[in-house]
Amino acid sequence: MAYTTFLPPEFRVVIDKEACLQCGRCVQQCGWSVYTWDEAERRPRPDHSKCSACHRCVTFCPGSAITVKHNELAFKRSDSMSPDLIKAVWKQAETGGVLLTGMGNDKPYLRIFDHLLLDACQVTNPSIDPLREPMEMRTFLGRKPDSLEVSTSGSSLRGTSVSPAASARLLTELDRQLQLETPIMFGGMSYGSVSLNVHRALAMAAAELGTFMNTGEGGLHADLEPYQDHIIVQCASGRFGVDTSYLQAGAAVEIKIGQGAKPGIGGHLPGEKIDYQVSITRMIPQGTDALSPAPHHDIYSIEDLRQLIYALKEATGYKPVSVKIAAVHNVAAIASGVVRAGADIVYLDGFRGGTGASPTIIRDHVGLPIEIAVATVDQRLRDEGIRNRASIVAAGGIRSSADVVKAIALGADACAIGTVALVALGCHVCQKCHTGCCSWGICTQRPELTRRLDPEWGASQVVNLVRAWTHEIAEVLGALGVNAIESLRGSRERLRGLGLDQTVLDVLGVKAAGS
Ligand code: SF4
Ligand code: SF4
């Protein structure tokens, strides 16, 4: 007897017949075509095997009639062969293919942020009320000088009210900086992987918040030109959409070496997602797969990287250059080389960072948590006396304002968010981004789906989220008795580890709670 499949549906779609208004909206809303309309019964019929649990139908059902449940099979208990492993074997036995997934690593590795606790002022060190006193959330990303030369000539105006400080003049010429009004920016997500309306929403939000969005590796659509002062343009191994005008359009350029969700491998955007607009933006043929190689074919050493960094600086009038690297085992040594190569910003991407598509084996088993990467890189750059030469951006696993504060206390200058920004736009983290069927109009190029995301509404969602986080960060700073976000950077003494072993604490440079 030949079986068609061993694979049971992952979810069960349950429709309450009493509550169903027979409107058919679920049939229209589902990007995965879970529902067909039964004309005879005038009811929707779900195909459970197609459901991704994106909850679009649940959200828009006017009768609140739909429930999506896990379809739990009662496997015999095994600590070795979990139900997920058994199903993965069945899938590969059927297809002979590499398992693909979207979004970030969801495996139960230690979540270090959740084992770090922040300090607060009591009695002898006064806290600050952020509602009554100024709290500086602005931060600058870029190379800082080794020392400052200040002219105080004309400052000793005896008998006048002009103080030396007021008349001082900075003589040192500073490198160009990115000015952020909040220590939160948006990580690279390429047009093609996400829809143009996602890019529009993030660009508008970045401009309103006084921060930056990042194009990812798919080029810059012409519609985003009004926001270019708040856009970092990315130059990745595929060089999609890269020419001089693109490089000059952004406030900064980012060289993407690696991505936290898939360190060491390139990217693959299937031809179905390369429509006309994506093809002209990426400068590639329509309908053909876009493959970005694992390495940059012109970078095999720190010296090669230096050449590209300075080529980009010269092409852009010395705008800041960021280098994005995945958090891997020797990330501190690599970051040191990146800084010595001339990068103004080191963007560290932890293994919980999102992706539009990745082999599951890479996403789930390669890389390091961002907490480890930030702490080790910050310490290494301090030990080598070059911490001032580059800013550190922490990304790949930033889920909340508390994570931002902890990442900065561990040594970051700012954080970048990706997945949570998409969640603010409606993403339900179903991890099926690679299918191109996203019902929320986020990770898809299908026009009937992308038009569901109104960029202005999306921008307001993201602005609200970042403003809320910024208020929360100010509250925490006040409790810590710190009045500027830059003063928190690398203040590991304000963190304590709870439930972390001594080895992890030593790597983080954090004391155990109670000590
Ligand atoms: S959207 Fe809800 S109310 Fe409308 S047909 Fe589907 S299940 Fe019924
Ligand atoms: S963006 Fe990806 S994870 Fe989010 S709802 Fe769409 S397909 Fe699912």
Side-chain angles (χ1 to χ4, degrees), residues 391-407:
S391 299
I392 296 174
V393 174
I398 304 295
R399 308 156 300 167
S400 65
S401 56
D403 289 356
V404 174
V405 176
K406 292 172 189 177

Side-chain angles (χ1 to χ4, degrees), residues 189-464:
M189 293 178 275
S190 70
Y191 172 41
S193 168
V194 296
S195 66
L196 183 55
N197 282 343
V198 172
H199 265 206
R200 288 188 180 115
L202 294 177
M204 285 183 214
E208 190 168 339
L209 290 162
T211 185
F212 295 87
M213 65 90 74
N214 185 311
T215 59
E217 66 169 323
L220 180 69
H221 192 278
D223 284 8
L224 271 63
E225 275 171 20
Y227 310 101
Q228 61 192 41
D229 291 347
H230 294 275
I231 293 177
I232 298 170
V233 294
Q234 197 180 77
C235 172
S237 60
R239 302 288 198 270
F240 299 125
V242 177
D243 64 9
T244 314
S245 62
Y246 167 78
L247 295 171
Q248 290 173 345
V253 184
E254 179 172 272
I255 301 170
K256 178 188 170 189
I257 300 290
Q259 185 173 340
K262 44 183 178 181
I265 66 168
H268 177 197
L269 188 66
E272 307 88 71
K273 284 179 114 176
I274 319 278
D275 64 11
Y276 175 70
Q277 291 291 334
V278 173
S279 88
I280 54 171
T281 305
R282 288 194 174 223
M283 303 175 189
I284 55 172
Q286 191 174 344
T288 56
D289 290 10
L291 299 162
S292 40
H296 286 246
H297 287 315
D298 52 355
I299 301 177
Y300 288 93
S301 65
I302 292 297
E303 291 75 17
D304 291 342
L305 176 63
R306 184 175 178 82
Q307 286 198 12
L308 181 58
I309 289 172
Y310 279 90
L312 293 174
K313 282 176 181 279
E314 284 176 17
T316 60
Y318 283 78
K319 288 180 181 173
V321 174
S322 169
V323 175
K324 176 176 178 175
I325 53 175
V328 290
H329 298 186
N330 57 343
V331 65
I334 295 165
S336 166
V338 166
V339 175
R340 289 172 191 282
D344 302 278
I345 298 163
V346 185
Y347 184 113
L348 301 171
D349 205 20
F351 80 159
R352 289 202 174 86
T355 171
S358 168
T360 309
I361 185 173
I362 300 282
R363 189 199 70 172
D364 291 352
H365 300 280
V366 180
L368 285 180
I370 187 59
E371 302 92 318
I372 298 278
V374 168
T376 54
V377 168
D378 175 65
Q379 192 57 51
R380 175 81 174 234
L381 299 184
R382 285 172 192 261
D383 291 346
E384 295 184 1
I386 56 173
R387 180 65 182 85
N388 61 301
R389 291 196 204 165
S391 299
I392 296 174
V393 174
I398 304 295
R399 308 156 300 167
S400 65
S401 56
D403 289 356
V404 174
V405 176
K406 292 172 189 177
I408 291 173
L410 284 172
D413 291 83
C415 292
I417 56 172
T419 299
V420 286
L422 298 187
V423 171
L425 298 178
C427 166
H428 279 50
V429 199
C430 72
Q431 304 185 350
K432 293 287 192 295
C433 317
H434 56 290
T435 64
C437 299
C438 178
S439 302
W440 294 91
I442 296 170
C443 280
T444 177
Q445 302 305 322
R446 284 167 46 188
E448 76 278 15
L449 300 177
T450 58
R451 73 170 68 103
R452 293 176 177 183
L453 179 60
D454 173 3
E456 295 200 351
W457 170 84
S460 72
Q461 289 280 107
V462 176
V463 166
N464 285 342

Side-chain angles (χ1 to χ4, degrees), residues 15 19-26 37 44 60-63 65-66:
I15 302 176
C20 176
L21 306 174
Q22 299 173 281
C23 66
R25 195 175 288 180
C26 46
W37 187 251
F60 284 88
C61 171
I66 304 172

Side-chain angles (χ1 to χ4, degrees), residues 111-120 371 402-403 405-407 409-410 476 480 488 491-500 505 508-515:
R111 286 177 170 76
I112 295 173
F113 280 137
D114 295 342
H115 292 267
L116 291 174
L117 295 172
L118 288 153
D119 193 15
E371 302 92 318
D403 289 356
V405 176
K406 292 172 189 177
L410 284 172
V476 176
L480 287 162
L488 181 67
S491 301
R492 298 162 205 219
E493 74 282 1
R494 308 307 300 272
L495 293 167
R496 289 291 184 273
L498 187 66
L500 295 174
L505 289 169
L508 294 172
V510 169
K511 289 182 181 172
S515 58

